[in-house]
Amino acid sequence: MPLKLNREDHAGINLTSLIDILFLLIIFFMVSSKFTENEQHLALKLPKVNHAPSQQPTSTVLSVWVLREGTVQLEGKTLNLAQFEMQLNQIRRSQPDIRVTLRGEGQLSLDRLADVITVINRTGVKKLDLAFLGGQSLTR
């Protein structure tokens, strides 16, 4: 059985249909670009606002970190639980609609985290976000 070493048939990609699609897209964009010229000459009467209400932030977000050794940081200041509760009470009295984001560091003790959440609950904060990074583990 003889093998053909010289192949005369070369495999190729037929580009005819791709060129047809390309020409259709070019024609489509040429025709649609004419519509934008006509739209520029439309006379529109846009509504006007006499006064806009000021956009005040609805709530202040506090960042609270519970560190590995058990200390608590409120906006970068290291505090013990009693100081943290006192600071949070003062802030909540001046800004009742406060939001607290609780973050943890490394091998965080679950008991310590529960203590911090209890203090936040005792101060009357209604909005609490837990933002722990992936890969953190809680220990008991």
Side-chain angles (χ1 to χ4, degrees):
M1 173 180 216
L3 294 174
K4 275 189 173 180
L5 296 178
N6 258 346
R7 280 190 104 172
E8 294 177 17
D9 297 335
H10 295 300
I13 299 174
N14 187 1
L15 296 177
T16 307
S17 60
L18 294 176
I19 293 172
D20 288 344
I21 292 172
L22 180 67
F23 282 128
L24 285 174
L25 286 173
I26 289 173
I27 291 170
F28 170 76
F29 287 122
M30 284 176 26
V31 170
S32 64
S33 67
K34 293 293 181 186
F35 292 129
T36 58
E37 286 179 14
N38 293 336
E39 290 173 356
Q40 290 177 355
H41 301 293
L42 294 176
L44 296 176
K45 292 182 181 178
L46 297 175
K48 293 185 180 178
V49 177
N50 292 336
H51 63 284
S54 63
Q55 294 289 334
Q56 297 293 331
T58 57
S59 66
T60 303
V61 179
L62 285 180
S63 180
V64 176
W65 280 87
V66 180
L67 303 179
R68 191 175 319 168
E69 59 273 0
T71 57
V72 178
Q73 282 188 349
L74 175 64
E75 295 296 319
K77 289 174 51 180
T78 303
L79 308 167
N80 63 23
L81 275 182
Q83 293 170 336
F84 171 65
E85 185 172 2
M86 192 171 66
Q87 286 278 336
L88 196 57
N89 270 326
Q90 285 178 347
I91 294 170
R92 197 178 110 24
R93 271 189 243 120
S94 63
Q95 301 168 356
D97 193 27
I98 195 168
R99 175 184 250 33
V100 174
T101 301
L102 185 60
R103 301 173 190 273
E105 175 192 48
Q107 295 286 326
L108 181 61
S109 168
L110 189 59
D111 294 332
R112 188 58 167 181
L113 181 65
D115 292 341
V116 172
I117 292 174
T118 302
V119 167
I120 292 171
N121 189 31
R122 205 171 28 220
T123 58
V125 173
K126 301 289 185 218
K127 299 174 183 173
L128 174 64
D129 298 326
L130 297 175
F132 293 100
L133 301 175
Q136 286 186 331
S137 60
L138 298 172
T139 59
R140 189 142 173 73

PDB file of all heavy atoms in Angstrom, residues 57-62 87-100 120-121 123-128:
ATOM      1  N   PRO A  57     -24.616  62.283  54.239  1.00  0.00           N
ATOM      2  CA  PRO A  57     -24.408  60.855  54.449  1.00  0.00           C
ATOM      3  C   PRO A  57     -25.393  60.331  55.483  1.00  0.00           C
ATOM      4  O   PRO A  57     -25.628  60.977  56.503  1.00  0.00           O
ATOM      5  CB  PRO A  57     -22.968  60.749  54.948  1.00  0.00           C
ATOM      6  CG  PRO A  57     -22.576  62.125  55.353  1.00  0.00           C
ATOM      7  CD  PRO A  57     -23.469  63.072  54.618  1.00  0.00           C
ATOM      8  N   THR A  58     -25.986  59.192  55.186  1.00  0.00           N
ATOM      9  CA  THR A  58     -27.022  58.661  56.070  1.00  0.00           C
ATOM     10  C   THR A  58     -26.434  58.104  57.354  1.00  0.00           C
ATOM     11  O   THR A  58     -27.051  58.190  58.394  1.00  0.00           O
ATOM     12  CB  THR A  58     -27.816  57.554  55.355  1.00  0.00           C
ATOM     13  OG1 THR A  58     -26.901  56.547  54.925  1.00  0.00           O
ATOM     14  CG2 THR A  58     -28.569  58.115  54.178  1.00  0.00           C
ATOM     15  N   SER A  59     -25.257  57.547  57.302  1.00  0.00           N
ATOM     16  CA  SER A  59     -24.667  57.024  58.524  1.00  0.00           C
ATOM     17  C   SER A  59     -23.152  57.087  58.447  1.00  0.00           C
ATOM     18  O   SER A  59     -22.568  57.047  57.375  1.00  0.00           O
ATOM     19  CB  SER A  59     -25.119  55.579  58.756  1.00  0.00           C
ATOM     20  OG  SER A  59     -24.605  54.750  57.744  1.00  0.00           O
ATOM     21  N   THR A  60     -22.546  57.191  59.610  1.00  0.00           N
ATOM     22  CA  THR A  60     -21.100  57.191  59.716  1.00  0.00           C
ATOM     23  C   THR A  60     -20.642  55.751  59.900  1.00  0.00           C
ATOM     24  O   THR A  60     -21.243  54.990  60.643  1.00  0.00           O
ATOM     25  CB  THR A  60     -20.655  58.036  60.920  1.00  0.00           C
ATOM     26  OG1 THR A  60     -21.182  59.338  60.764  1.00  0.00           O
ATOM     27  CG2 THR A  60     -19.160  58.092  61.022  1.00  0.00           C
ATOM     28  N   VAL A  61     -19.571  55.396  59.223  1.00  0.00           N
ATOM     29  CA  VAL A  61     -19.043  54.034  59.327  1.00  0.00           C
ATOM     30  C   VAL A  61     -17.792  54.071  60.191  1.00  0.00           C
ATOM     31  O   VAL A  61     -16.847  54.787  59.901  1.00  0.00           O
ATOM     32  CB  VAL A  61     -18.716  53.453  57.934  1.00  0.00           C
ATOM     33  CG1 VAL A  61     -18.143  52.062  58.070  1.00  0.00           C
ATOM     34  CG2 VAL A  61     -19.948  53.445  57.058  1.00  0.00           C
ATOM     35  N   LEU A  62     -17.813  53.296  61.265  1.00  0.00           N
ATOM     36  CA  LEU A  62     -16.659  53.168  62.150  1.00  0.00           C
ATOM     37  C   LEU A  62     -15.973  51.840  61.877  1.00  0.00           C
ATOM     38  O   LEU A  62     -16.630  50.818  61.719  1.00  0.00           O
ATOM     39  CB  LEU A  62     -17.084  53.197  63.615  1.00  0.00           C
ATOM     40  CG  LEU A  62     -17.485  54.525  64.205  1.00  0.00           C
ATOM     41  CD1 LEU A  62     -17.881  54.356  65.655  1.00  0.00           C
ATOM     42  CD2 LEU A  62     -16.356  55.519  64.109  1.00  0.00           C
ATOM     43  N   GLN A  87     -16.166  55.033  74.488  1.00  0.00           N
ATOM     44  CA  GLN A  87     -15.988  55.783  73.236  1.00  0.00           C
ATOM     45  C   GLN A  87     -17.172  55.559  72.290  1.00  0.00           C
ATOM     46  O   GLN A  87     -17.672  56.502  71.679  1.00  0.00           O
ATOM     47  CB  GLN A  87     -14.696  55.344  72.546  1.00  0.00           C
ATOM     48  CG  GLN A  87     -13.449  55.852  73.193  1.00  0.00           C
ATOM     49  CD  GLN A  87     -13.144  57.268  72.757  1.00  0.00           C
ATOM     50  OE1 GLN A  87     -13.566  57.713  71.696  1.00  0.00           O
ATOM     51  NE2 GLN A  87     -12.415  57.979  73.593  1.00  0.00           N
ATOM     52  N   LEU A  88     -17.595  54.304  72.171  1.00  0.00           N
ATOM     53  CA  LEU A  88     -18.693  53.978  71.259  1.00  0.00           C
ATOM     54  C   LEU A  88     -19.998  54.620  71.728  1.00  0.00           C
ATOM     55  O   LEU A  88     -20.797  55.083  70.913  1.00  0.00           O
ATOM     56  CB  LEU A  88     -18.832  52.465  71.125  1.00  0.00           C
ATOM     57  CG  LEU A  88     -19.640  51.952  69.955  1.00  0.00           C
ATOM     58  CD1 LEU A  88     -19.090  52.468  68.633  1.00  0.00           C
ATOM     59  CD2 LEU A  88     -19.652  50.437  69.942  1.00  0.00           C
ATOM     60  N   ASN A  89     -20.221  54.660  73.043  1.00  0.00           N
ATOM     61  CA  ASN A  89     -21.409  55.334  73.575  1.00  0.00           C
ATOM     62  C   ASN A  89     -21.393  56.816  73.246  1.00  0.00           C
ATOM     63  O   ASN A  89     -22.418  57.382  72.862  1.00  0.00           O
ATOM     64  CB  ASN A  89     -21.502  55.140  75.091  1.00  0.00           C
ATOM     65  CG  ASN A  89     -22.289  53.907  75.451  1.00  0.00           C
ATOM     66  OD1 ASN A  89     -23.240  53.540  74.767  1.00  0.00           O
ATOM     67  ND2 ASN A  89     -21.879  53.246  76.516  1.00  0.00           N
ATOM     68  N   GLN A  90     -20.231  57.465  73.375  1.00  0.00           N
ATOM     69  CA  GLN A  90     -20.132  58.892  73.059  1.00  0.00           C
ATOM     70  C   GLN A  90     -20.410  59.147  71.583  1.00  0.00           C
ATOM     71  O   GLN A  90     -21.146  60.072  71.225  1.00  0.00           O
ATOM     72  CB  GLN A  90     -18.737  59.411  73.398  1.00  0.00           C
ATOM     73  CG  GLN A  90     -18.477  59.592  74.862  1.00  0.00           C
ATOM     74  CD  GLN A  90     -17.053  60.059  75.116  1.00  0.00           C
ATOM     75  OE1 GLN A  90     -16.208  60.011  74.232  1.00  0.00           O
ATOM     76  NE2 GLN A  90     -16.797  60.512  76.349  1.00  0.00           N
ATOM     77  N   ILE A  91     -19.841  58.331  70.733  1.00  0.00           N
ATOM     78  CA  ILE A  91     -20.039  58.511  69.289  1.00  0.00           C
ATOM     79  C   ILE A  91     -21.490  58.267  68.923  1.00  0.00           C
ATOM     80  O   ILE A  91     -22.090  58.996  68.130  1.00  0.00           O
ATOM     81  CB  ILE A  91     -19.101  57.585  68.500  1.00  0.00           C
ATOM     82  CG1 ILE A  91     -17.648  57.997  68.726  1.00  0.00           C
ATOM     83  CG2 ILE A  91     -19.423  57.609  67.018  1.00  0.00           C
ATOM     84  CD1 ILE A  91     -16.635  57.010  68.184  1.00  0.00           C
ATOM     85  N   ARG A  92     -22.104  57.238  69.522  1.00  0.00           N
ATOM     86  CA  ARG A  92     -23.490  56.912  69.190  1.00  0.00           C
ATOM     87  C   ARG A  92     -24.463  57.977  69.681  1.00  0.00           C
ATOM     88  O   ARG A  92     -25.484  58.228  69.061  1.00  0.00           O
ATOM     89  CB  ARG A  92     -23.878  55.552  69.755  1.00  0.00           C
ATOM     90  CG  ARG A  92     -25.144  55.035  69.062  1.00  0.00           C
ATOM     91  CD  ARG A  92     -25.549  53.723  69.521  1.00  0.00           C
ATOM     92  NE  ARG A  92     -26.736  53.579  70.312  1.00  0.00           N
ATOM     93  CZ  ARG A  92     -27.795  54.361  70.375  1.00  0.00           C
ATOM     94  NH1 ARG A  92     -27.846  55.462  69.714  1.00  0.00           N
ATOM     95  NH2 ARG A  92     -28.823  54.076  71.114  1.00  0.00           N
ATOM     96  N   ARG A  93     -24.157  58.642  70.798  1.00  0.00           N
ATOM     97  CA  ARG A  93     -25.022  59.733  71.272  1.00  0.00           C
ATOM     98  C   ARG A  93     -25.014  60.903  70.294  1.00  0.00           C
ATOM     99  O   ARG A  93     -26.043  61.519  70.053  1.00  0.00           O
ATOM    100  CB  ARG A  93     -24.581  60.204  72.654  1.00  0.00           C
ATOM    101  CG  ARG A  93     -25.251  59.420  73.751  1.00  0.00           C
ATOM    102  CD  ARG A  93     -24.977  60.024  75.121  1.00  0.00           C
ATOM    103  NE  ARG A  93     -24.236  59.029  75.889  1.00  0.00           N
ATOM    104  CZ  ARG A  93     -23.025  59.192  76.388  1.00  0.00           C
ATOM    105  NH1 ARG A  93     -22.400  60.339  76.258  1.00  0.00           N
ATOM    106  NH2 ARG A  93     -22.440  58.239  77.054  1.00  0.00           N
ATOM    107  N   SER A  94     -23.843  61.200  69.723  1.00  0.00           N
ATOM    108  CA  SER A  94     -23.769  62.324  68.783  1.00  0.00           C
ATOM    109  C   SER A  94     -24.269  61.938  67.391  1.00  0.00           C
ATOM    110  O   SER A  94     -24.768  62.776  66.654  1.00  0.00           O
ATOM    111  CB  SER A  94     -22.342  62.859  68.699  1.00  0.00           C
ATOM    112  OG  SER A  94     -21.483  61.861  68.179  1.00  0.00           O
ATOM    113  N   GLN A  95     -24.127  60.661  67.031  1.00  0.00           N
ATOM    114  CA  GLN A  95     -24.570  60.183  65.717  1.00  0.00           C
ATOM    115  C   GLN A  95     -25.346  58.872  65.910  1.00  0.00           C
ATOM    116  O   GLN A  95     -24.763  57.794  65.907  1.00  0.00           O
ATOM    117  CB  GLN A  95     -23.366  59.943  64.806  1.00  0.00           C
ATOM    118  CG  GLN A  95     -22.540  61.166  64.585  1.00  0.00           C
ATOM    119  CD  GLN A  95     -21.205  60.838  63.937  1.00  0.00           C
ATOM    120  OE1 GLN A  95     -20.870  59.695  63.714  1.00  0.00           O
ATOM    121  NE2 GLN A  95     -20.433  61.859  63.653  1.00  0.00           N
ATOM    122  N   PRO A  96     -26.654  58.965  66.074  1.00  0.00           N
ATOM    123  CA  PRO A  96     -27.429  57.756  66.397  1.00  0.00           C
ATOM    124  C   PRO A  96     -27.483  56.723  65.275  1.00  0.00           C
ATOM    125  O   PRO A  96     -27.632  55.527  65.543  1.00  0.00           O
ATOM    126  CB  PRO A  96     -28.828  58.284  66.705  1.00  0.00           C
ATOM    127  CG  PRO A  96     -28.848  59.705  66.305  1.00  0.00           C
ATOM    128  CD  PRO A  96     -27.469  60.165  66.073  1.00  0.00           C
ATOM    129  N   ASP A  97     -27.346  57.143  64.027  1.00  0.00           N
ATOM    130  CA  ASP A  97     -27.445  56.201  62.903  1.00  0.00           C
ATOM    131  C   ASP A  97     -26.045  55.760  62.467  1.00  0.00           C
ATOM    132  O   ASP A  97     -25.652  55.931  61.327  1.00  0.00           O
ATOM    133  CB  ASP A  97     -28.201  56.860  61.747  1.00  0.00           C
ATOM    134  CG  ASP A  97     -28.613  55.842  60.707  1.00  0.00           C
ATOM    135  OD1 ASP A  97     -28.794  54.668  61.072  1.00  0.00           O
ATOM    136  OD2 ASP A  97     -28.737  56.219  59.532  1.00  0.00           O
ATOM    137  N   ILE A  98     -25.310  55.162  63.376  1.00  0.00           N
ATOM    138  CA  ILE A  98     -23.919  54.800  63.121  1.00  0.00           C
ATOM    139  C   ILE A  98     -23.838  53.351  62.637  1.00  0.00           C
ATOM    140  O   ILE A  98     -24.660  52.518  63.000  1.00  0.00           O
ATOM    141  CB  ILE A  98     -23.077  55.011  64.396  1.00  0.00           C
ATOM    142  CG1 ILE A  98     -21.609  55.001  64.065  1.00  0.00           C
ATOM    143  CG2 ILE A  98     -23.390  53.989  65.432  1.00  0.00           C
ATOM    144  CD1 ILE A  98     -20.765  55.494  65.207  1.00  0.00           C
ATOM    145  N   ARG A  99     -22.853  53.071  61.792  1.00  0.00           N
ATOM    146  CA  ARG A  99     -22.614  51.721  61.283  1.00  0.00           C
ATOM    147  C   ARG A  99     -21.210  51.315  61.709  1.00  0.00           C
ATOM    148  O   ARG A  99     -20.273  52.068  61.545  1.00  0.00           O
ATOM    149  CB  ARG A  99     -22.725  51.699  59.768  1.00  0.00           C
ATOM    150  CG  ARG A  99     -22.376  50.364  59.156  1.00  0.00           C
ATOM    151  CD  ARG A  99     -22.420  50.438  57.656  1.00  0.00           C
ATOM    152  NE  ARG A  99     -23.338  49.843  56.909  1.00  0.00           N
ATOM    153  CZ  ARG A  99     -24.635  49.494  56.941  1.00  0.00           C
ATOM    154  NH1 ARG A  99     -25.224  49.670  57.612  1.00  0.00           N
ATOM    155  NH2 ARG A  99     -25.447  48.942  56.243  1.00  0.00           N
ATOM    156  N   VAL A 100     -21.083  50.113  62.258  1.00  0.00           N
ATOM    157  CA  VAL A 100     -19.796  49.615  62.731  1.00  0.00           C
ATOM    158  C   VAL A 100     -19.364  48.455  61.845  1.00  0.00           C
ATOM    159  O   VAL A 100     -20.136  47.523  61.614  1.00  0.00           O
ATOM    160  CB  VAL A 100     -19.878  49.158  64.202  1.00  0.00           C
ATOM    161  CG1 VAL A 100     -18.575  48.518  64.646  1.00  0.00           C
ATOM    162  CG2 VAL A 100     -20.210  50.332  65.099  1.00  0.00           C
ATOM    163  N   ILE A 120     -20.751  46.074  71.540  1.00  0.00           N
ATOM    164  CA  ILE A 120     -21.377  46.858  70.460  1.00  0.00           C
ATOM    165  C   ILE A 120     -22.894  46.794  70.579  1.00  0.00           C
ATOM    166  O   ILE A 120     -23.589  47.809  70.437  1.00  0.00           O
ATOM    167  CB  ILE A 120     -20.902  46.340  69.083  1.00  0.00           C
ATOM    168  CG1 ILE A 120     -19.417  46.647  68.895  1.00  0.00           C
ATOM    169  CG2 ILE A 120     -21.719  46.960  67.953  1.00  0.00           C
ATOM    170  CD1 ILE A 120     -18.798  46.003  67.673  1.00  0.00           C
ATOM    171  N   ASN A 121     -23.432  45.632  70.903  1.00  0.00           N
ATOM    172  CA  ASN A 121     -24.880  45.472  71.072  1.00  0.00           C
ATOM    173  C   ASN A 121     -25.371  46.270  72.279  1.00  0.00           C
ATOM    174  O   ASN A 121     -26.442  46.880  72.243  1.00  0.00           O
ATOM    175  CB  ASN A 121     -25.226  43.992  71.220  1.00  0.00           C
ATOM    176  CG  ASN A 121     -26.705  43.747  71.189  1.00  0.00           C
ATOM    177  OD1 ASN A 121     -27.446  44.465  70.530  1.00  0.00           O
ATOM    178  ND2 ASN A 121     -27.143  42.743  71.910  1.00  0.00           N
ATOM    179  N   THR A 123     -24.224  49.013  73.461  1.00  0.00           N
ATOM    180  CA  THR A 123     -24.237  50.457  73.200  1.00  0.00           C
ATOM    181  C   THR A 123     -25.420  50.881  72.333  1.00  0.00           C
ATOM    182  O   THR A 123     -25.666  52.070  72.179  1.00  0.00           O
ATOM    183  CB  THR A 123     -22.933  50.911  72.514  1.00  0.00           C
ATOM    184  OG1 THR A 123     -22.773  50.199  71.308  1.00  0.00           O
ATOM    185  CG2 THR A 123     -21.747  50.710  73.423  1.00  0.00           C
ATOM    186  N   GLY A 124     -26.123  49.928  71.749  1.00  0.00           N
ATOM    187  CA  GLY A 124     -27.312  50.262  70.972  1.00  0.00           C
ATOM    188  C   GLY A 124     -27.072  50.440  69.487  1.00  0.00           C
ATOM    189  O   GLY A 124     -27.938  50.955  68.773  1.00  0.00           O
ATOM    190  N   VAL A 125     -25.917  50.015  68.994  1.00  0.00           N
ATOM    191  CA  VAL A 125     -25.631  50.105  67.556  1.00  0.00           C
ATOM    192  C   VAL A 125     -26.492  49.075  66.837  1.00  0.00           C
ATOM    193  O   VAL A 125     -26.508  47.899  67.192  1.00  0.00           O
ATOM    194  CB  VAL A 125     -24.126  49.853  67.285  1.00  0.00           C
ATOM    195  CG1 VAL A 125     -23.865  49.772  65.793  1.00  0.00           C
ATOM    196  CG2 VAL A 125     -23.299  50.948  67.912  1.00  0.00           C
ATOM    197  N   LYS A 126     -27.233  49.534  65.835  1.00  0.00           N
ATOM    198  CA  LYS A 126     -28.146  48.647  65.112  1.00  0.00           C
ATOM    199  C   LYS A 126     -27.527  48.044  63.855  1.00  0.00           C
ATOM    200  O   LYS A 126     -27.965  47.007  63.378  1.00  0.00           O
ATOM    201  CB  LYS A 126     -29.410  49.410  64.701  1.00  0.00           C
ATOM    202  CG  LYS A 126     -30.156  49.999  65.858  1.00  0.00           C
ATOM    203  CD  LYS A 126     -30.830  48.936  66.680  1.00  0.00           C
ATOM    204  CE  LYS A 126     -31.666  49.585  67.766  1.00  0.00           C
ATOM    205  NZ  LYS A 126     -31.618  48.866  69.009  1.00  0.00           N
ATOM    206  N   LYS A 127     -26.502  48.700  63.297  1.00  0.00           N
ATOM    207  CA  LYS A 127     -25.916  48.253  62.035  1.00  0.00           C
ATOM    208  C   LYS A 127     -24.493  47.778  62.285  1.00  0.00           C
ATOM    209  O   LYS A 127     -23.609  48.570  62.592  1.00  0.00           O
ATOM    210  CB  LYS A 127     -25.932  49.375  61.007  1.00  0.00           C
ATOM    211  CG  LYS A 127     -27.332  49.845  60.675  1.00  0.00           C
ATOM    212  CD  LYS A 127     -27.302  51.039  59.775  1.00  0.00           C
ATOM    213  CE  LYS A 127     -28.712  51.535  59.519  1.00  0.00           C
ATOM    214  NZ  LYS A 127     -28.732  52.767  58.788  1.00  0.00           N
ATOM    215  N   LEU A 128     -24.271  46.481  62.137  1.00  0.00           N
ATOM    216  CA  LEU A 128     -22.966  45.885  62.372  1.00  0.00           C
ATOM    217  C   LEU A 128     -22.593  45.035  61.173  1.00  0.00           C
ATOM    218  O   LEU A 128     -23.357  44.165  60.752  1.00  0.00           O
ATOM    219  CB  LEU A 128     -22.994  45.022  63.638  1.00  0.00           C
ATOM    220  CG  LEU A 128     -21.743  44.209  63.944  1.00  0.00           C
ATOM    221  CD1 LEU A 128     -20.564  45.128  64.225  1.00  0.00           C
ATOM    222  CD2 LEU A 128     -21.980  43.284  65.113  1.00  0.00           C
TER     223      LEU A 128
END
